[in-house]
Amino acid sequence: AEAAELINQQPDAVRAIMVEHVRLPEPLKQSYPVPRFPRLGVPDKQALETIATWLKDRKVINSTVEFGNVVNGSFLP
């Protein structure tokens, strides 16, 4: 959470690190926007259920996913 806040508040302060690790083409190194990061939070229940249904329909998973069994917000600040 602290890193995301730092990046969002001072994107140019982390540009050199991003450029080094992302391997941007030379012409984009100074102009490519540093991505913004959302605040940490649990996933949306509806979104999780939609994804789980999609995975189950395609036989990627074979059981129903219960939101409370896979999401625990107590680990977040």
Side-chain angles (χ1 to χ4, degrees):
E2 290 177 31
E5 187 175 329
L6 170 72
I7 293 167
N8 290 341
Q9 289 177 357
Q10 301 175 18
D12 285 328
V14 298
R15 177 173 298 284
I17 296 168
M18 180 190 77
V19 167
E20 178 184 344
H21 293 284
V22 176
R23 294 191 245 167
L24 289 170
E26 192 63 42
L28 296 178
K29 288 183 178 181
Q30 293 304 315
S31 63
Y32 193 83
V34 176
R36 302 290 187 194
F37 292 89
R39 293 187 66 104
L40 293 177
V42 297
D44 177 69
K45 183 177 181 181
Q46 179 70 35
L48 182 117
E49 290 172 352
T50 300
I51 293 165
T53 299
W54 185 89
L55 290 168
K56 190 173 179 187
D57 289 348
R58 284 153 184 80
K59 300 186 183 341
V60 175
I61 60 175
N62 56 16
S63 61
T64 302
V65 175
E66 299 292 332
F67 185 80
N69 291 339
V70 297
V71 175
N72 183 346
S74 70
F75 293 101
L76 298 173

